[in-house]
Amino acid sequence: MAVNSRISGLKDRSVAERRALVADGAGVDAAALTALDAGGLTVEQADHMIENVVGTIAIPLGVATNMTVNGRDYLVPMATEEASVVAAASNAARIARVHGGFHASGTGPVMIAQIQLLGAVDPHGARARVLEARQEVLDLANAQDPVLTRLGGGARELTARVLETRDGTQVIVHLHVDVRDAMGANAVNTMAEAVAPVLAERAGARSLLRILSNKADTRLVRARAVFDAELLGGPRVVDDIVSASAFAEADPYRAATHNKGIMNGISAVVLATGNDTRAVEAGCHSHAARDGRYTALSRFEKDRDGNLTGTLEVPMPVGLVGGATRAHPAAQTAIRILGVTSATELAEVIVSVGLAQNLAACRALAAEGIQHGHMRLHARTVAASAGASPRRCGTSRNGSSRTAGSRWSTPARCWSRCGAGTVEHAGPLAARADRGADRDGAGPGARLRGRAA
């Protein structure tokens, strides 16, 4: 079934209505989405995942719309506590649709295991002897995981280098493993431990660390898109986004915040699908410093037609098999909504969402400022934290009358959706939040003004 990610007015629906629309759009049974209730994980299930379990913590799960990647539409589950992230990604994806959406490609699902060799008398000779044993080592590594080799994966290459450290000269061996649809940590770690004794014997050294590297630069994914100048706000906005991008490329202080905006999108999808957010984030930030200086992960330029082009390239070690992706019911449901059939396809969608999120943040910064949209959406959280209780609101976002049966039935929703934003309109509890947060003159929720973009 072909997915149509263009669901108009999803934000104005109830949760039940959204579920029905998402299930229908993704071609899944609506009953499958009940796995998302109460965080999607029982305490009993959690007790089998980590140690010393005392409970679970739920994170809001939204669905980004409008995503088109390589000519296919996707409804993208995103797990995040931060207001505006899902809306921003959806809006940027809508702008990209005009020129064909996102185009993504990658280098393949290859991970690196590192074996550290210490004490070689002749480190350069040791390196040469290690490389002479290449086929023996690859065969031994592949014998550890016959299922992976049957699926077309397995150890592919062996490299070695001499590394000067403050503790002396070391020989570092890299085992390159095609992990197919897995994230790959368990597979490569098992192989590294199996081949370490052979490598140590050949090198005349002893092995110490034997573990994968999260600097997964053999598992890169690229995404690009063209964003229509008119929909962005005109030529001036395009030029200002290019200037903002250049700032992030040149300055590590800005780059850190710029890249955090990218990770707002990436980490939300990684978390929703049960993948390892820490591994992905470590890989992305190390990639940002690959040339010895921390810089922006994305690039924005103006094309010959005056539109904005965006590109993003990052390591993306995610999988569909093993780990929480298979153990967490909500993650399984997220994968079903996405409809991806390979880890490579999942990675391409994730990186595209990262580029969409980045564009949305840069556009907001270059136009009205990041707080204009973010704080309007964040106001619901402010009112809820003040203990706002449900009541009816008779005013819509544009000031027109609403019926008594309005779904916008709490001060928080009213504050966010009708845009009144006043103490009187939001009610006394929200007013208390407004007064507390407005002490520095920045408006409701000012204490969170540092949200990254």
Side-chain angles (χ1 to χ4, degrees), residues 103 105 162 215 247 259 267 389 414:
H103 303 272
S105 60
V162 175
K215 184 172 170 33
F247 177 22
N259 291 343
S267 295
S389 59
C414 166

Side-chain angles (χ1 to χ4, degrees), residues 402-414:
R402 294 284 294 183
T403 66
S406 168
R407 284 186 295 272
W408 305 352
S409 56
T410 67
R413 286 179 182 272
C414 166

Side-chain angles (χ1 to χ4, degrees), residues 264-291:
N264 278 346
I266 286 176
S267 295
V269 188
V270 172
L271 181 60
T273 56
N275 277 283
D276 189 339
T277 55
R278 287 83 55 204
V280 169
E281 289 164 359
C284 287
H285 289 298
S286 68
H287 197 64
R290 62 192 179 278
D291 295 325

Side-chain angles (χ1 to χ4, degrees), residues 238-263:
V238 171
D239 289 340
D240 285 350
I241 292 174
V242 171
S243 294
S245 178
F247 177 22
E249 293 164 28
D251 180 62
Y253 289 89
R254 173 58 202 152
T257 314
H258 179 95
N259 291 343
K260 192 271 184 179
I262 294 170
M263 302 313 296

Side-chain angles (χ1 to χ4, degrees), residues 341-366:
T341 58
S342 71
T344 296
E345 184 182 6
L346 173 60
E348 290 172 348
V349 172
I350 291 172
V351 177
S352 297
V353 172
L355 180 57
Q357 185 67 41
N358 190 211
L359 178 279
C362 289
R363 180 197 184 201
L365 285 166

Side-chain angles (χ1 to χ4, degrees), residues 415-426:
W415 199 351
S416 161
R417 293 186 184 276
C418 76
T422 64
V423 170
E424 294 78 10
H425 196 71

Side-chain angles (χ1 to χ4, degrees), residues 436-452:
D438 197 38
R439 288 171 186 154
D440 65 356
R447 65 184 184 276
L448 293 179
R449 70 152 53 122
R451 292 290 191 181

